Amino acid sequence: MLLKVENLKKYFPVAKTFIERLLTREERYVRAVDGISFHIEEGEVFSLVGESGSGKTTTGKVVLRLIEPTSGRVIFQGRDITSLGKKELRLMRRHMQIIYQDPYASLNPRMRVGEAIMDPLLIHKIAEGREAKEMVLEMLEKVGLTPPETFFNSYPAYLSGGQRQRVAIARAMITRPKLVVADEPVSMIDVSLRASILDLMMDLRKEFGVAYLFITHDLAVAKYISDRIAIMYLGKIVELGRTKVLFKNPLHPYTKALLSAIPVPTPGKRKERLRLKGEIPSAIDIPPGCRFHPRCPMSFEPCNKEEPELMEVEPGHFVACHLHT
Ligand code: SF4
């Protein structure tokens, strides 16, 4: 096992107004990640899927310890990274990289592409000089930016969104990490280029044996690349299983609603859309009982009082819903 996340929580304190400070001492929190557990195997693609506000991006950042967890453990290659000191964490970072959503903001506009990709090699003292440059040219070729010498000397401003995301991927892969957190890596890229970026990521996975924690709001994208998928809602995992199983036999009403929203590619064929009531609530005022109950079309007696646990209903398939306890 490469990564194990145990009961991870991340709460952000809510700033109080002057009046609120006078009236109450009670602190309020955004419970962005509210006690989730999962694992990722070596070379596996594991996707976290959910609407905006479900806590998936915060989970990715806490897993890399780009932000500190409130509680819980993140065990990477057998070591709890939540307890590592700064120096040890820096060493560990070589093996854990991130690809951000926005290819326009993730690259320094004043750095040439070659320098940007070479930077992690220098930071982690993997290579320098001629050797580092050779490694960068080779990586540029692998990510499809050819001729590599031309791209090495280019500035990000002269590249398209798809090319910039290829640079970001090259930068993440240059240290040969074991885990890459990919946070919506294709959502800001032209639709026509998305499949080619996903295919590139899968090719690199095959070549380097890297695992991905893939974060997306798009279940169709997750289906295309994932071995397993976890569905998140308001800071919790509500369903988790192998991709095929989840698509063939979704159990949680939220998963069913997300699946019903995926367009059918066959012309003339329609499927019934399961529409949800309202919007995802604030993570400050989480509904009691099942946090999905105000929107759930299947809600019944215990749902607004008792919070369902994530239970294994068949080997490797977990769901948190009173309909399946
Ligand atoms: Fe719906 Fe109840 Fe299941 Fe929650 S526990 S998803 S409200 S049926």
Side-chain angles (χ1 to χ4, degrees):
M1 191 184 301
L2 180 68
L3 178 85
K4 193 168 184 215
V5 171
E6 291 177 353
N7 201 19
L8 191 67
K9 293 184 183 174
K10 179 63 191 177
Y11 295 176
F12 297 99
V14 178
K16 282 198 248 179
T17 63
F18 177 69
I19 300 288
E20 282 170 338
R21 278 205 299 274
L22 290 179
L23 293 177
T24 176
R25 290 184 145 209
E26 194 190 324
E27 295 295 341
R28 300 179 79 209
Y29 294 91
V30 176
R31 285 148 62 188
V33 179
D34 204 9
I36 64 169
S37 302
F38 62 89
H39 75 275
I40 302 179
E41 300 287 350
E42 301 254 356
E44 187 183 24
V45 181
F46 182 84
S47 288
L48 285 178
V49 180
E51 291 167 282
S52 156
S54 59
K56 55 195 192 303
T57 291
T58 305
T59 302
K61 287 185 175 162
V62 176
V63 161
L64 294 181
R65 237 184 101 186
L66 297 174
I67 50 178
E68 296 293 330
T70 302
S71 64
R73 300 204 311 158
V74 178
I75 297 155
F76 178 71
Q77 293 187 311
R79 297 188 72 188
D80 183 2
I81 68 158
T82 58
S83 62
L84 293 183
K86 270 189 186 162
K87 199 176 160 200
E88 287 173 305
L89 191 59
R90 214 169 37 240
L91 291 173
M92 194 65 101
R93 286 256 159 78
R94 172 183 170 169
H95 306 293
M96 306 171 87
Q97 296 285 333
I98 186 164
I99 300 166
Y100 290 103
Q101 176 180 18
D102 186 354
Y104 293 89
S106 62
L107 295 171
N108 182 340
R110 285 189 291 275
M111 258 185 165
R112 287 175 202 271
V113 162
E115 293 165 345
I117 300 172
M118 196 186 290
D119 210 29
L121 292 178
L122 306 179
I123 291 170
H124 296 290
K125 299 187 171 57
I126 295 168
E128 56 182 8
R130 185 83 226 140
E131 189 193 355
K133 186 169 181 185
E134 287 299 326
M135 287 174 76
V136 173
L137 291 173
E138 194 190 326
M139 185 53 81
L140 280 167
E141 206 150 359
K142 280 190 200 301
V143 299
L145 294 173
T146 55
E149 290 80 9
T150 307
F151 281 97
F152 189 98
N153 292 311
S154 300
Y155 283 97
Y158 297 101
L159 306 183
S160 67
Q163 287 172 332
R164 285 177 201 221
Q165 203 57 309
R166 285 173 190 267
V167 174
I169 291 169
R171 187 181 151 92
M173 291 294 175
I174 195 80
T175 61
R176 303 287 192 273
K178 300 298 279 178
L179 176 72
V180 169
V181 174
D183 186 3
E184 302 268 15
V186 294
S187 64
M188 288 184 74
I189 291 174
D190 198 89
V191 176
S192 61
L193 299 172
R194 286 181 188 170
S196 66
I197 296 287
L198 295 172
D199 288 343
L200 168 66
M201 291 176 70
M202 292 308 104
D203 289 346
L204 294 171
R205 169 210 191 181
K206 212 182 278 174
E207 183 167 353
F208 301 142
V210 61
Y212 292 110
L213 172 55
F214 197 93
I215 293 165
T216 180
H217 67 281
D218 189 337
L219 205 43
V221 168
K223 183 186 183 187
Y224 188 65
I225 58 155
S226 313
D227 297 305
R228 287 184 302 136
I229 295 175
I231 308 290
M232 277 191 83
Y233 187 80
L234 264 188
K236 286 262 191 201
I237 290 176
V238 296
E239 187 160 6
L240 187 161
R242 296 204 70 76
T243 305
K244 265 192 193 152
V245 173
L246 214 73
F247 273 75
K248 203 169 159 214
N249 184 27
L251 297 176
H252 198 282
Y254 182 56
T255 313
K256 289 182 183 179
L258 292 180
L259 279 172
S260 77
I262 299 177
V264 181
T266 322
K269 207 176 168 193
R270 296 185 68 187
K271 66 177 171 183
E272 205 175 318
R273 176 110 191 243
L274 187 59
R275 293 190 186 277
L276 298 177
K277 295 176 256 174
E279 301 273 312
I280 188 166
S282 158
I284 303 173
D285 294 308
I286 290 182
C290 170
R291 50 193 69 199
F292 185 57
H293 88 261
R295 300 175 77 195
C296 181
M298 317 286 286
S299 177
F300 63 115
E301 179 49 29
C303 299
N304 62 355
K305 296 188 192 77
E306 291 163 33
E307 181 152 36
E309 298 257 329
L310 191 67
M311 311 271 278
E312 192 167 20
V313 286
E314 57 181 318
H317 188 180
F318 298 80
V319 65
C321 173
H322 290 309
L323 291 168
H324 302 282
T325 48

